[in-house]
Amino acid sequence: EHKIPLSIPTETKRKQRNNKYANMKTIDQWDVNEVAVWLHCIGLGNHTDSFLENTVDGGMLLELNMDDLRDELGLSRLQAKKLLRTLKFTKNVTDSPSGEEEEEEEEDIETLTEKVDTLTEENEGLRATVEELEAAQTEIRDRLGELEGEEGLNERLEEMSEE
């Protein structure tokens, strides 16, 4: 019997995962110095002066586009791409899910758990049916073997009576 291990996070595990970065500020809460530290962390520390001079805080950072980064802040095209890609990732990490998103996640987990339970029950029913069919097949084979033995005996009797 093969069982598929399921890994559905418990309420505690889910809250721990969601609260992993709970003490971290969201990007829009960063001040200019925190933006400068982040720039150093992603390897663009040589551009902190232009960000500080232009008072780019977290809220402003989120509004910057490729042209702003290149024309106003002096980044190359590749550096700007790197910053925008890393900013998107950092935003995903630091943004905690809203209550509505958590409720949807819980509903999804409940729905999936119900589906797994239903499929498990169906699978057990199908296994029972397979076992019944296999038993019936064995009975039929046995009976056919008996009948073939009887036919062989009948043929022998007919041959003997002809002689």
Side-chain angles (χ1 to χ4, degrees), residues 2-160:
H2 299 284
K3 291 204 176 200
I4 299 171
L6 300 175
S7 178
I8 298 174
T10 62
E11 184 68 22
T12 306
K13 286 182 184 175
R14 190 168 51 257
K15 284 186 178 179
Q16 285 173 345
R17 185 186 72 226
N18 289 343
N19 291 331
K20 187 174 182 179
Y21 301 101
N23 294 332
M24 185 181 289
K25 289 180 177 180
T26 57
I27 295 172
D28 62 333
Q29 297 170 329
W30 291 356
D31 63 26
V32 293
N33 294 316
E34 290 164 320
V35 170
V37 168
W38 180 77
L39 287 170
H40 277 282
C41 291
I42 66 167
L44 296 173
N46 56 323
H47 292 281
T48 55
D49 287 342
S50 61
F51 279 74
L52 290 169
E53 288 169 11
N54 288 286
T55 62
V56 177
D57 60 8
M60 176 65 69
L61 182 63
L62 290 170
E63 294 178 19
L64 296 175
N65 60 35
M66 180 71 76
D67 291 336
D68 297 330
L69 292 169
R70 295 186 70 205
D71 300 339
E72 302 297 325
L73 297 166
L75 276 70
S76 70
R77 185 177 166 306
L78 289 176
Q79 289 171 327
K81 276 181 85 169
K82 176 183 180 178
L83 184 143
L84 292 171
R85 184 188 71 229
T86 308
L87 181 63
K88 181 178 179 181
F89 173 79
T90 305
K91 185 173 182 345
N92 288 337
V93 169
T94 60
D95 285 353
S96 60
S98 68
E100 187 177 302
E101 288 171 334
E102 284 183 17
E103 284 178 25
E104 287 175 7
E105 183 178 294
E106 287 174 24
E107 287 173 10
D108 289 346
I109 289 172
E110 286 175 25
T111 301
L112 290 173
T113 302
E114 289 171 9
K115 283 182 181 178
V116 167
D117 291 343
T118 301
L119 291 172
T120 300
E121 288 174 18
E122 287 177 15
N123 190 36
E124 289 170 3
L126 290 172
R127 281 193 183 152
T129 302
V130 166
E131 288 173 8
E132 291 170 9
L133 291 171
E134 286 174 344
Q137 182 182 31
T138 301
E139 282 183 43
I140 291 169
R141 282 188 181 150
D142 291 346
R143 183 66 183 133
L144 281 173
E146 291 171 11
L147 291 174
E148 286 173 356
E150 288 176 12
E151 281 181 26
L153 183 60
N154 287 337
E155 286 175 13
R156 286 283 261 175
L157 288 172
E158 283 177 26
E159 287 174 11
M160 289 172 73

